[in-house]
Amino acid sequence: MSNPIPSLADLHALGAAQQPTYPDASALDSVVAGLRRLPPLVFAGECDELRGRVAEVALGRSFMLQGGDCAETFESVTAANIRNKLRVLLSMAVVLTYAAQLPVLKVGRIAGQYAKPRSRDTETRGDITLPAYRGDAVNGLAFDAASRTPDPRRLLDVYNHSAATLNLLRAFVTGGYADLRAMHTWNADFVHNSNVESRYEELSDEIGRALAFMVACKVDNEAFRTVDFYSSHEALLLEYEHALTRIDSRTSTPYNTSAHLVWIGERTRQLDGAHVEYLRHLRNPVGVKIGPRSTPDEVGALVDRLDPDHEPGRLTIISRMGAERVRDALPPVIEAVESSGRKVAWVCDPMHGNTFETATGYKTRAFSQVADELTGFFDVHEELGTWPGGVHVELTGDDVTECVGGVGELAEADLSNRYETACDPRLNRNQSLELAFLIADRLTSGRIKRGTTEPVFHLEDF
Ligand code: PEP
Ligand code: CO
C-alpha cells in the first residue's frame, strides 16, 4: 500500500506558511531522518480514546479544558514547572467538574508546544534587524545573530523535552499525585488572601467530605487516584510533525504520534495550504483556530476538508475572535457548520484576540476582556441552542504578572514584577482559578442547553 501521507516535498509544494528558513538543508535532512527512527511519544490507541472524549464534548455531554504555556521553553522543563502547570489544570478541572457537575476533558497545551507562528518574520531593535524568535524548536530568544539563526538540531531537543515532560505527566496522573483526596495539597502554598482561594478551599472541604462519605460506604474507587490527561500542541513545523507521523499497525492509518491532539493556527489554516493538507490525513482528533475575519464559507470549506466523514470528535474548532467581535463574528460561523449537520467541539480561546501592548512595552491581556470574550461565547451558544464545548487558555502554574486585572487586581505597573513568558502573556494561578469559577457559574446558570442525553457524573470522568 502506498504511504497515505503526502511526502514533505509534496506538502511544501503547496506552500507552507510560517516555516523557518534553515541555512543548512542537509543538516535538516539528517535531523528528520533521525526523528523518523525514534519511537512514538503517544500511542495511537490513546488518540482514539481522546477522539471518543472529544465526541462527548461535541455532543454536549462534557466540557473541554485545554491549557498551558503559549510557548514552552527547554529551560522550563523542570519537575516543579510541570507539576505546577498540571496542578492548576487539575484544580480548574475539579472546580468545573464539581461546581458544574460535568465531566471535564483535560488537555494540556504541553509536551510539544515549542514552535510559534509570528506576525513578523523579523525583529528590529535600534538599527539591528534579526529573524524573529519562533520558539525554542527553531531558534533562541536572545537577540543576537547566532541565537536567532534557525537550527534544525533543536527539533531533536523538542522530541527529548516532550518525552521527558510526558513521562513525568504520566507518572503524576497515574502515580497518586492527582488523587482527588490530595486536592488540598495541590494548592497548599497559596497565599490565602483572596475570594478565589477561599472559594477553592470551601470546595475542597466539600469534596473531601463527599469522598470520606464514599470511602466510609466502601466505595473506594480507583478513579479517585488517577486522572485522564492528554497532550496537545500546534502542528506548525512540518518537518517535525511529519517525522513523528506513523502508520498505526492496528489500523494501517496515519497518526501524529507527537501528541494526542494537534491543531493548526489562524495563520496556517489556508484551505489549499500544506497544513490543512497534512492535518486532513491524520486519524488523531484535530483542531483549527478561527479568528474574527473568518467567513462562514471559509469555515464551511475547512470543515468539509477536515471532517469529511461527519465524525463527532474528529474536529475541534477553537474560536479566538476577541471580546469586541465574538458576539457578531461567531454566530454565522456556528450556523454554517451546524447546518452541514456536523457535530464539532466548539472551544473558546479568549486569549489570542485580546492581546495589547502597554505604554511601557509589555504585551498583555486584561482579565476583564478574557472574561468578556468567554461570556460572549456562552451568550452566542445559548442564543443558538448549541453547546459551548470548552475553553483554550494560556496559563501557567506560577504566580507570574503577565495579564492585568483579576482578583489580585494586577495593574500595568505590576507587570515588570514577574513577567516571564517566552511569547504571549499567560494567566497566573489565581487568574486561572478565577476563570474556572466564572465558567462553572455560567454553566450552572441553567440557561445553556446541554447534550440530548442527560450528563451523568462518572467518577472516572474527573
Ligand atoms: C497560539 O495559540 O499561540 C496562537 C498563535 O494562536 P492563533 O493561531 O490563534 O493566533
Ligand atoms: Co499564544
Side-chain angles (χ1 to χ4, degrees), residues 53 66 101 120 126 129 322 380 401 404 408 410:
R53 296 290 178 102
Q66 187 179 23
Q101 301 279 296
R120 290 188 204 92
T129 297
V380 165
T401 54
V404 296
L410 218 77

Side-chain angles (χ1 to χ4, degrees), residues 69-71 109 113 116-117 234 267 289 349 351-352 355 363 365 392 394 421 423-426:
D69 285 313
C70 177
R109 187 182 154 115
Q113 180 56 25
K116 297 306 307 164
E234 177 173 351
R267 294 164 189 80
K289 295 265 206 107
D349 164 359
M351 316 297 292
H352 287 91
T355 316
K363 204 172 169 191
R365 292 157 174 157
H392 177 120
E394 287 182 343
T421 183
C423 198
D424 291 339
R426 304 159 295 177

Side-chain angles (χ1 to χ4, degrees), residues 360-425:
T360 47
Y362 284 101
K363 204 172 169 191
T364 190
R365 292 157 174 157
F367 185 87
S368 56
Q369 280 189 303
V370 169
D372 190 29
E373 175 157 0
L374 259 175
T375 305
F377 171 78
F378 284 120
D379 289 346
V380 165
H381 280 284
E382 187 181 303
E383 181 84 7
L384 296 176
T386 45
W387 174 241
V391 64
H392 177 120
V393 272
E394 287 182 343
L395 53 74
T396 167
D398 302 317
D399 298 319
V400 298
T401 54
E402 297 172 4
C403 294
V404 296
V407 70
E409 290 175 16
L410 218 77
E412 287 193 12
D414 300 323
L415 292 178
S416 59
N417 295 344
R418 254 194 98 175
Y419 193 94
E420 297 174 3
T421 183
C423 198
D424 291 339

Side-chain angles (χ1 to χ4, degrees), residues 272-323:
D272 297 314
H275 290 85
V276 169
E277 177 60 12
Y278 166 71
L279 211 68
R280 82 182 181 89
H281 284 88
L282 299 177
R283 261 318 265 156
N284 305 57
V286 298
V288 60
K289 295 265 206 107
I290 55 164
R293 279 176 296 279
S294 36
T295 65
D297 284 353
E298 206 175 75
V299 180
L302 263 175
V303 298
D304 279 348
R305 200 144 302 179
L306 294 174
D307 177 27
D309 301 325
H310 291 227
E311 185 185 12
R314 160 74 184 161
L315 185 59
T316 298
I317 298 185
I318 306 160
S319 63
R320 28 87 85 222
M321 304 283 183

